[in-house]
Amino acid sequence: MDLSAYRVCRLCPRECGVDRTAGEKGVCGVSAEARVARAALHAWEEPCISGEGGSGTVFFSGCGLRCVFCQNRPIALGEAGQDISTGRLADIFDELEEKGAENLNLVTGAQFVPSILEALSIARGRGNRLPVVYNTGGYERKETLSMLKGAVDVYLVDYKYASPRLAEDCAAAPDYPAVALDAIGEMLSQRGKARFDGEMLKSGVLVRFLLLPSALLDAKLGLKRVFSLCQNRVLYSLMQQYTPMPNVKPPLDRRVSEAEYRSLFDYADALGIENGYTQARESAKESFIPPFDLSGVL
Ligand code: SF4
């Protein structure tokens, strides 16, 4: 495997420049060895991703964004998870196919893109034909996304913050709004208009908007901005599953209200969004978060 991208790491917009092959760690908190916290069928994505069989979800440890309210905090910090070889990662991809997964759903993998590409190449060579879903918080460099061109079928991407102020407050990343919009543009240019095979999304971009408490105007601005760029060539997912973790401070210490969510939905409707998903209020439960217990990893 070509390790050069890990030697002076600029895989994500933090551009830390550390040598992860020597064990140095940047903002994402992980070295060059792929680290995975869970690999299992997951039924809780949008229906066009989960399908009947479940999405073959691989949760990578570490994260370059690190939102203060993260529901996957133990893996975002790189604490939970097991370092594995690319060979083992390829085996995991095959095992998920054997279990009946509809696709490979790679969650927060920017910090391991070279390893992911190597593992995919091994699995493809052995006949693995599952579509690949790249599931990301949106804080991505275009240069890294271009490495994924041709290897990823579906981009499942958040647009988390529309204002630099909110992005600074929540993730110390004031450049997030511009960077993530650029990333979505790159994803759209790679995959084009969303295409389905029956109920399943086979190619395209699905943009998620997780509504945060007291951030309705920001979410509307984000929707408007992404719609201006992509119109109805991408799918939209309006999410109300935000669950306050014990560490968060006001105004993040509550769920979003039904009125806030309804207002976001009405705004999406008024913009002319035709292809989208909404989310039931019951989704806002901690039990919705899968256990990061190394299932399917070892
Ligand atoms: S992947 Fe990690 S080390 Fe590399 S630039 Fe991003 S945060 Fe820094």
Side-chain angles (χ1 to χ4, degrees):
M1 180 174 64
D2 179 6
L3 293 171
S4 56
Y6 291 133
R7 288 216 174 88
V8 186
C9 188
R10 295 201 164 85
L11 284 168
C12 88
R14 299 290 187 191
E15 298 195 53
C16 303
V18 296
D19 183 356
R20 291 170 57 200
T21 66
E24 293 177 14
K25 293 177 181 173
V27 174
C28 62
V30 284
S31 66
E33 201 80 23
R35 190 168 172 82
V36 175
R38 180 179 171 85
L41 299 182
H42 190 56
W44 307 109
E45 309 287 20
E46 287 78 358
C48 67
I49 302 291
S50 290
E52 302 229 326
S55 188
T57 308
V58 181
F59 289 92
F60 290 94
S61 302
C63 176
L65 190 55
R66 295 200 176 198
C67 303
V68 290
F69 53 79
C70 183
Q71 297 181 11
N72 298 342
R73 198 163 179 77
I75 60 170
L77 297 177
E79 291 164 356
Q82 173 72 43
D83 290 353
I84 58 172
S85 66
T86 49
R88 177 62 199 136
L89 186 57
D91 290 347
I92 287 171
F93 293 164
D94 287 348
E95 288 162 15
L96 288 168
E97 186 174 45
E98 284 160 18
K99 287 174 186 165
E102 303 275 3
N103 43 46
L104 293 175
N105 184 348
L106 310 176
V107 183
T108 316
Q111 64 279 14
F112 296 122
V113 161
S115 308
I116 287 170
L117 289 172
E118 171 90 358
L120 277 175
S121 170
I122 295 169
R124 291 292 190 229
R126 296 195 297 226
N128 189 314
R129 290 289 170 263
L130 287 179
V132 172
V133 178
Y134 187 78
N135 188 335
T136 166
Y139 199 47
E140 298 278 350
R141 287 188 79 206
K142 279 165 86 170
E143 292 83 348
T144 302
L145 292 174
S146 64
M147 293 164 67
L148 294 165
K149 189 172 182 178
V152 167
D153 299 281
V154 171
Y155 285 104
L156 184 53
V157 53
D158 296 310
Y159 194 68
K160 290 174 178 286
Y161 316 110
S163 79
R165 175 69 189 271
L166 188 62
E168 167 72 28
D169 289 350
C170 291
D175 59 342
Y176 177 94
V179 165
L181 195 69
D182 254 13
I184 290 169
E186 169 65 22
M187 294 169 190
L188 180 60
S189 79
Q190 284 186 22
R191 298 315 309 174
K193 191 172 192 290
R195 285 188 289 114
F196 283 79
D197 180 4
E199 302 295 310
M200 299 302 294
L201 181 59
K202 286 298 177 195
S203 174
V205 183
L206 196 165
V207 188
R208 287 172 159 174
F209 297 83
L210 174 66
L211 181 58
L212 298 175
S214 304
L216 179 58
L217 287 179
D218 191 273
K220 288 180 178 177
L221 178 58
L223 256 184
K224 185 178 176 185
R225 197 176 280 160
V226 173
F227 189 69
S228 296
L229 178 71
C230 306
Q231 294 85 44
N232 281 308
R233 289 177 291 165
V234 304
L235 306 176
Y236 296 81
S237 182
L238 307 184
M239 308 180 79
Q240 61 171 329
Q241 72 178 52
Y242 175 78
T243 307
M245 294 287 110
N247 61 299
V248 299
K249 301 192 173 92
L252 292 170
D253 59 344
R254 67 169 175 88
R255 292 176 57 188
V256 300
S257 70
E258 285 186 51
E260 285 171 315
Y261 188 67
R262 194 177 319 111
S263 180
L264 184 64
F265 175 85
D266 290 344
Y267 186 77
D269 197 34
L271 275 179
I273 288 175
E274 294 168 358
N275 307 310
Y277 297 90
T278 55
Q279 193 175 44
R281 192 163 169 74
E282 306 83 67
S283 305
K285 288 181 185 162
E286 276 188 62
S287 58
F288 194 67
I289 303 166
F292 299 115
D293 55 2
L294 301 182
S295 293
V297 177
L298 300 172

